[in-house]
């Protein structure tokens, strides 16, 4: 590119002094999707005083995430998150990210995740006990907080151990308040440092102080019992060593625990809520899935049943296609890069949106239709890259992918085995694209199902 004028990615013009920033603040998903469709792929958008390059073309995304990844660092969205989480696996880059990923990935191995299924079932049983009261009342309620509570219960106990009943509600509230601050900070045209003593910043520092105190106490408690038989994720991280024999210090452990509490809470709870929503809107699919669950759980306990719940798994995949929890992520160019029809200069902002690619008409037939059969093994294997990537791609594929999928299937099987779920008035819910994409709200009415007991007996047995 030396000596030549950089080529610019095409995009729409806007007469508004802030460009498309008002539309982005109002509804980023619609803005990105409509502009990508209108321009048949990658597009450049002006948001206030900066331009965003929304990359949709698979070759463009591959160049940023895989073949030319060294020319990019994690982008502006991660800077605000860093204030909440610190430089953990989600927000860090470079050598720190490589070292941390190598230490953390084995802790999420399949045998470790599968060993957590009884814990997930126990958390599901607590959710069902709460929902039994809702079913008895017979009045509509928002399902989202209930499944979010289930997801928070699972991740807190899996990460930090079982004895957290007294602190779980405060952790859940503080994580939610921290996310709210991050979203306001991320969307602000001028990002004020969190150390500035505004009322919002003072509340945020209080949230951080409580989260740090709780996590530090749990880390200290785990170190005191080191050498005893311990099965929590934190215990595995305490025992992890890199090739040089080095372990994580307490500060880095805190960053990673906070990352897991956030990433394993809203994303998983949101995926479960979206799956229930789509199944309620598609009664024929719901009937097939419920029959599969009833038949499978009548002959085996749930920890052995998940591989057989193929239709159930396809519904989860399809719900995450239409409503990916991680709806977009960003990169910033740290050196110049050249693509087929445009160039990027250092500092250029890149956005990659699974939400856009998962619905892009050039990639999917009837893209807005809920069709789990897209995810048969044969069709999934034949699918080209960057059509479906709810957990990221390449080196940055989410280490918790298997745990998230298992947890959603456990929660879904327990809900559908126990209840008939009616979506109130056929309500359409809106996407709520914050750090993760959650539905807002999913109003339902529950009725206890009248069926043979074996399915519920297998769930109860797994929880013991």
């Amino acid at each position: 590119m030396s000596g030549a004028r950089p080529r610019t990615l095409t995009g729409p013009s806007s007469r508004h002094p802030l460009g498309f920033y008002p539309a982005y603040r109002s509804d980023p998903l619609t803005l990105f999707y409509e502009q990508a469709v209108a321009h048949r792929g990658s597009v450049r958008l002006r948001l206030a005083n900066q331009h965003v390059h929304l990359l949709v073309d698979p070759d463009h995304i591959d160049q940023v995430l895989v073949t030319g990844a060294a020319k990019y660092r994690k982008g502006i969205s991660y800077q605000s998150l860093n204030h909440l989480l610190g430089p953990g696996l989600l927000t860090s880059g470079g050598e720190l990210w490589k070292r941390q990923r190598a230490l953390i990935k084995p802790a999420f191995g399949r045998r470790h995740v599968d060993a957590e299924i009884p814990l997930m079932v126990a958390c599901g049983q607590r959710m069902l006990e709460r929902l039994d009261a809702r079913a008895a009342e017979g009045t509509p309620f928002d399902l989202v907080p209930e499944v979010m509570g289930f997801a928070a219960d699972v991740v807190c106990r899996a990460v930090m151990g079982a004895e957290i009943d007294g602190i779980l509600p405060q952790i859940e509230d503080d994580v939610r308040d921290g996310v709210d601050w991050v979203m306001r900070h991320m969307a602000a045209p001028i990002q004020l440092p969190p150390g500035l003593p505004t009322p919002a910043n003072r509340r945020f520092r209080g949230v951080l102080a409580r989260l740090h105190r709780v996590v530090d106490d749990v880390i200290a408690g785990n170190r005191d019992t080191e050498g005893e038989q311990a099965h929590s994720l934190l215990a595995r991280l305490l025992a992890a060593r890199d090739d040089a024999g080095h372990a994580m210090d307490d500060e880095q452990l805190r960053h990673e625990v906070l990352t897991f509490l956030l990433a394993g809470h809203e994303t998983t709870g949101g995926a479960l809520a979206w799956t229930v929503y789509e199944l309620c809107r598609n009664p024929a699919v719901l009937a097939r899935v419920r029959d599969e669950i009833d038949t499978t759980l009548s002959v085996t306990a749930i920890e052995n049943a998940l591989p057989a719940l193929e239709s159930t798994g396809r519904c989860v995949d399809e719900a995450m296609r239409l409503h990916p929890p991680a709806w977009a992520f960003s990169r910033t160019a740290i050196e110049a890069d050249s693509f087929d029809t445009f160039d990027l200069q250092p500092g250029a902002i890149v956005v990659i949106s699974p939400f856009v690619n998962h619905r892009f008409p050039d990639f999917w037939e009837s893209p807005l239709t809920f069709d789990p059969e897209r995810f048969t093994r044969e069709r999934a294997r034949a699918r080209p890259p960057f059509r479906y990537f709810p957990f990221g791609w390449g080196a940055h594929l989410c280490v918790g992918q298997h745990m998230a999928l298992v947890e959603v299937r456990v929660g879904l099987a327990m809900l559908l085995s126990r209840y008939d779920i009616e979506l109130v008035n056929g309500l359409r819910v809106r996407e709520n694209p914050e750090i993760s994409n959650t539905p807002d709200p999913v109003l339902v009415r529950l009725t206890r199902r009248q069926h043979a007991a074996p399915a519920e007996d297998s769930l109860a047995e797994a929880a013991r």
Side-chain angles (χ1 to χ4, degrees), residues 290-352:
R290 192 165 52 197
D291 287 347
E292 178 184 71
I293 291 170
D294 288 349
T295 300
T296 304
L297 295 187
S298 69
V299 296
T300 186
I302 193 167
E303 61 263 40
N304 302 318
L306 293 182
L309 298 179
E310 294 184 357
S311 292
T312 307
R314 289 196 292 271
C315 289
V316 174
D317 291 340
E318 175 69 347
M320 288 196 298
R321 181 188 71 82
L322 284 169
H323 315 282
W327 58 278
F329 51 91
S330 62
R331 294 290 187 268
T332 299
I334 56 177
E335 59 181 273
D337 201 3
S338 181
F339 295 76
D340 51 357
T341 59
F342 63 96
D343 305 316
L344 294 181
Q345 298 304 300
I349 298 170
V350 169
V351 171
I352 297 165

Side-chain angles (χ1 to χ4, degrees), residues 85 90 108 120 147-159 172 175 179 233 256-272 325 391 398-401 403-405 407-408 435-436:
L85 305 178
L90 181 62
F108 284 92
M120 297 176 190
V147 296
M148 288 293 183
F150 162 70
D153 197 9
V154 171
V155 71
C156 286
R157 294 175 193 277
V159 171
E172 192 172 0
V175 169
V179 167
L233 174 62
E256 303 305 348
V257 169
L258 289 174
T259 297
F260 301 143
L261 293 183
L262 173 65
H265 171 199
E266 287 209 337
T267 54
T268 307
L272 178 53
F391 293 97
C398 175
V399 296
Q401 174 180 357
M403 183 169 180
L405 291 173
E407 183 181 336
V408 174
I435 291 176
S436 60

Side-chain angles (χ1 to χ4, degrees), residues 22 215 273 353 449:
V215 173
S353 173
R449 293 182 61 202

Side-chain angles (χ1 to χ4, degrees), residues 69-144:
K71 296 182 178 181
Y72 299 86
R73 59 174 171 81
K74 290 181 177 178
I76 55 175
S77 57
Y78 296 93
Q79 296 170 15
S80 297
L81 265 175
N82 191 70
H83 293 305
L84 174 62
L85 305 178
L89 189 62
L90 181 62
T91 58
S92 64
E95 291 304 315
L96 174 61
W97 174 83
K98 291 179 182 178
R99 185 179 75 242
Q100 288 304 106
R101 185 175 175 87
L103 284 168
I104 290 169
K105 187 176 180 181
F108 284 92
R110 285 182 177 267
R111 67 182 181 89
H112 290 308
V113 171
D114 291 347
E116 301 286 6
I117 294 176
L119 180 149
M120 297 176 190
V121 174
C123 294
Q125 289 287 1
R126 284 189 285 275
M127 174 179 64
L128 297 185
E129 290 169 6
R130 297 190 302 270
L131 292 180
D132 280 348
R134 299 281 197 177
E137 292 170 1
T139 56
F141 68 97
D142 183 7
L143 184 65
V144 175

